């Protein structure tokens, strides 16, 4: 069995369990950040879940590298950039849902959604995930910082929404180095997502109107085509 077939077989077996693990990571991290009043043993359990699921993601990355047979280096990282980012920043691991969709789609002959619907749906889901993950991360960094304007999770959600939509009101801004790093990351991804979703929607509109124009060209005056 060649490397490509072995990789497909590994994905078929691992993507669904790893996606569940990514949701467990996100949930455990959210509870750990938001419910600070929990007893210490509960936080220790949450941290253990976070560490265990992260270890699964690292193991999956290494297995994929071994199956590929490629030398590990900058070239491999570049070719598998999304996998690398999702391993280093496991809060973004659910973004790999597109891989899960591919695994499910291999068992079906036709896609359930057309290309434009898939891009818009994935872009919308990504924006929601990034907003939630970014809010959690920046809230954890900022809530106890001197001079911080992001004091509550609500402040963090408002800041993430204005950042992802590239509005940037400036009423709440991160003051810590970690918070500003997260902000720069969200700004970049917000621009990319906005461009992808807007471009796909515009392309869909153009295609729809083009089909309507073509129908009008072949429609006899005062009647239906072929009348």
């Amino acid at each position: 069995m060649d490397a490509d077939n072995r990789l497909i077989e590994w994905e078929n077996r691992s993507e669904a369990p790893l996606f569940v693990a990514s949701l467990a990571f996100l949930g455990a991290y959210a509870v750990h950040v938001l419910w600070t009043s929990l007893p210490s043993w509960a936080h220790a359990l949450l941290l253990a879940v976070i560490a265990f699921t992260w270890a699964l993601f690292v193991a999956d990355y290494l297995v994929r590298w071994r199956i590929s047979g490629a030398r590990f280096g900058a070239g491999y990282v570049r070719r598998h950039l999304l996998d690398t980012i999702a391993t280093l920043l496991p809060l973004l691991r659910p973004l790999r849902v597109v891989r899960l969709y591919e695994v499910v789609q291999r068992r079906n002959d036709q896609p359930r959604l057309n290309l434009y619907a898939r891009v818009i749906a994935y872009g919308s889901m990504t924006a929601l995930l990034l907003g939630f993950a970014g809010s959690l991360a920046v809230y954890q960094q900022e809530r106890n910082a001197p001079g911080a304007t992001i004091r509550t999770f609500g402040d963090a959600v408002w800041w993430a929404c204005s950042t992802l939509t590239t509005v940037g009101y400036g009423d709440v801004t991160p003051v810590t180095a970690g918070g500003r790093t997260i902000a720069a990351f969200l700004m970049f991804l917000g621009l990319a997502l906005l461009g992808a979703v807007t471009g796909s929607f515009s392309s869909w509109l153009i295609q729809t109107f083009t089909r309507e124009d073509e129908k009008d060209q072949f429609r006899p005056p005062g009647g239906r085509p072929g009348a």
Side-chain angles (χ1 to χ4, degrees), residues 19 29 62 80 84 87 107 110 122 125 127 147 151 156 161 167 225:
F19 181 72
Y29 180 73
L62 294 176
H80 302 83
T84 304
T87 302
R107 302 169 188 173
Q110 297 294 330
Y122 182 68
M125 186 196 67
R151 291 292 188 181
C161 290
V167 175

Side-chain angles (χ1 to χ4, degrees), residues 1-135:
M1 184 182 296
D2 59 24
D4 290 340
N5 288 333
R6 282 187 291 138
L7 184 59
I8 290 174
E9 183 180 357
W10 173 256
E11 289 179 347
N12 289 340
R13 293 179 177 178
S14 65
E15 280 301 330
L18 287 172
F19 181 72
V20 173
S22 71
L23 296 180
F25 180 97
L26 183 60
Y29 180 73
V31 174
H32 174 65
V33 171
L34 296 177
W35 279 273
T36 55
S37 59
L38 290 175
S40 57
W41 66 263
H43 282 286
L45 179 61
L46 292 170
L47 290 174
V49 172
I50 291 170
F52 176 72
T53 50
W54 199 346
L56 290 179
F57 304 149
V58 173
D60 173 64
Y61 188 84
L62 294 176
V63 168
R64 290 172 185 274
W65 163 58
R66 289 289 295 174
I67 290 175
S68 71
R71 294 182 59 186
F72 189 80
Y76 179 84
V77 171
R78 258 194 322 270
R79 290 193 301 272
H80 302 83
L81 188 58
L82 179 59
D83 293 340
T84 304
I85 292 174
T87 302
L88 296 176
L89 302 173
L91 276 175
L92 303 181
R93 181 80 188 194
L95 290 179
R96 284 172 53 91
V97 68
V98 69
R99 289 287 183 86
L100 180 61
Y101 179 85
E102 290 174 356
V103 169
V104 173
Q105 192 53 49
R106 289 189 190 120
R107 302 169 188 173
N108 299 281
D109 295 330
Q110 297 294 330
R112 295 182 181 274
L113 297 173
N114 63 37
L115 176 61
Y116 300 119
R118 276 178 282 166
V119 171
I120 292 173
Y122 182 68
S124 301
M125 186 196 67
T126 301
L128 289 174
L129 172 64
L130 286 175
F132 182 62
S135 299

